[in-house]
Amino acid sequence: MKIAGFLIIKMKIETHRKRNYIILKIKKMKNYYALLLCVLMFVGTGFLQAATKTTDFRKPKHKIYVVAHRGAHKSIPENSIAAYQKAIDLGCDFVEIDVRTTKDGHFVSVHNANVEKYVNGVSAEVKDLTLAELKSLDIGEKIGAEWKGTQIPTFEEILQLCQGKIGIYLDLKDAPVDELMLLIKKYNMESDVIWYVPASYFLKMNNVETLFGSSFIMPDPGEEANLDLVLQKLQPKVVATDMSVLSKSFIEKCHRKNVKVFVDEKKGTTEEWKMILEWGTDGIQTDDPERIIDFLKEYW
């Protein structure tokens, strides 16, 4: 009887151990699947963000996007860090920058191919000067004594200034897109950059989506007759044009495809701005962002 009782007790202990072991395994499996579910959710979120990033166009601060042409350069050297900082301080949505390549492969913001407009006593192409030579030039003394010593900025210096503060309207003058994209990605500014390039340039390319990543191409179709082809082939989020082409029908065609329209002002008058707004234009590039922002505050 004692042996039988001992065997019964032993069987109960073994059964209890097996039950605990099974429960422990189930808990571990639950933890494993919970962890797996978290990992899948995390990865899935990353894929989702990557897939939707290209649709995440920044919102305007003034109902219409204000683009500071070459920065806010009224009485300030154009395309300078000071002009870009002023645009940030004013509350512009984008700064327009022109990008060129130096002789030694660096990227700088200069509108004209030759620097003679900006400095005294120097006539030379940007592409024929090294970065050090360009940095030695004074682009401020022609504007005023208070700007003496102002230097031509590099593209990377502009990215450092603008990161998290303002978008970049990039006018591609003379620089390779793939190398510029490396710098843009370095500062995590892909979705903050729009590329102004003639539509014909984009239409000749077969790798637009991969080359420009999550940044935004902004083709200029030229005449309105080219617009349908550009919208169909490139499917941009935004197009650029000027006042010689802009019309209500141009804007309506774009809006039917959920495409924004940015226009360059011509006269820079309140009458012109009113017409631009009445037609429903989405953005305006201006040489006087301070005045247009004041105008918009009253208009709305």
Side-chain angles (χ1 to χ4, degrees):
M1 292 291 293
K2 288 182 179 180
I3 294 173
F6 173 76
L7 290 173
I8 291 170
I9 292 171
K10 187 177 180 181
M11 288 174 64
K12 287 182 178 181
I13 292 172
E14 289 297 324
T15 301
H16 182 70
R17 284 177 178 171
K18 288 181 179 179
R19 187 182 67 182
N20 287 345
Y21 174 77
I22 292 170
I23 292 171
L24 181 62
K25 291 291 285 183
I26 291 171
K27 286 182 177 179
K28 285 183 176 180
M29 288 177 68
K30 286 182 178 179
N31 290 337
Y32 169 78
Y33 285 118
L35 178 62
L36 180 62
L37 181 60
C38 288
V39 170
L40 289 173
M41 288 176 66
F42 177 78
V43 173
T45 301
F47 280 128
L48 182 60
Q49 288 175 341
T52 58
K53 189 175 181 182
T54 55
T55 63
D56 190 20
F57 202 91
R58 66 193 300 119
K59 303 294 183 185
K61 297 176 182 177
H62 311 282
K63 294 188 181 180
I64 184 173
Y65 295 90
V66 176
V67 181
H69 183 230
R70 305 181 196 177
H73 62 87
K74 191 174 182 180
S75 301
I76 300 174
E78 66 179 45
N79 289 102
S80 66
I81 290 295
Y84 297 139
Q85 182 61 61
K86 179 68 173 179
I88 292 170
D89 296 340
L90 289 174
C92 297
D93 298 286
F94 291 91
V95 286
E96 185 264 356
I97 69 171
D98 305 282
V99 182
R100 295 185 180 276
T101 307
T102 68
K103 183 178 180 180
D104 51 348
H106 294 277
F107 307 120
V108 292
S109 180
V110 184
H111 180 270
N112 290 7
N114 195 301
V115 299
E116 61 186 347
K117 173 187 173 182
Y118 313 106
V119 297
N120 290 318
V122 179
S123 178
E125 300 272 309
V126 172
K127 65 181 180 180
D128 295 328
L129 298 173
T130 66
L131 179 61
E133 289 170 333
L134 284 163
K135 282 292 189 181
S136 71
L137 302 178
D138 188 333
I139 63 169
E141 62 181 347
K142 273 193 170 184
I143 305 301
E146 69 273 29
W147 299 110
K148 187 174 175 58
T150 302
Q151 296 179 320
I152 291 172
T154 66
F155 181 51
E156 189 159 11
E157 287 171 338
I158 296 166
L159 290 172
Q160 291 169 351
L161 174 72
C162 295
Q163 186 183 38
K165 300 172 187 174
I166 196 168
I168 290 177
Y169 179 121
L170 198 162
D171 191 337
L172 189 64
K173 296 297 187 187
D174 179 22
V177 174
D178 56 345
E179 293 185 39
L180 294 178
M181 281 301 303
L182 290 176
L183 288 172
I184 292 168
K185 289 177 180 179
K186 176 182 176 181
Y187 290 92
N188 194 30
M189 290 188 68
E190 280 185 90
S191 60
D192 298 311
V193 174
I194 53 178
W195 298 75
Y196 171 78
V197 182
S200 57
Y201 174 88
F202 290 119
L203 290 170
K204 292 176 184 176
M205 300 175 65
N206 56 13
N207 61 340
V208 171
E209 290 185 6
T210 55
L211 184 59
F212 291 92
S214 297
S215 58
F216 298 89
I217 63 169
M218 182 173 56
D220 184 342
E223 296 301 320
E224 186 174 340
N226 304 325
L227 187 57
D228 289 336
L229 176 65
V230 170
L231 296 179
Q232 179 185 353
K233 293 289 186 181
L234 298 175
Q235 299 183 356
K237 296 292 181 184
V238 56
V239 298
T241 190
D242 58 47
M243 290 305 297
S244 65
V245 175
L246 188 72
S247 66
K248 192 171 182 180
S249 62
F250 184 103
I251 294 167
E252 288 173 349
K253 283 181 182 179
C254 291
H255 284 180
R256 282 196 291 270
K257 298 288 186 179
N258 295 316
V259 177
K260 302 180 189 300
V261 178
F262 281 21
V263 67
D264 296 353
E265 68 179 11
K266 184 177 182 180
K267 298 177 182 177
T269 61
T270 55
E271 292 75 18
E272 182 179 68
W273 293 340
K274 285 178 182 178
M275 184 172 66
I276 289 170
L277 294 172
E278 286 169 4
W279 283 349
T281 318
D282 302 283
I284 179 169
Q285 182 173 214
T286 176
D287 284 309
D288 198 348
E290 185 168 11
R291 193 162 67 92
I292 197 172
I293 287 172
D294 289 340
F295 164 77
L296 291 172
K297 289 175 181 177
E298 295 180 6
Y299 183 87
W300 299 117

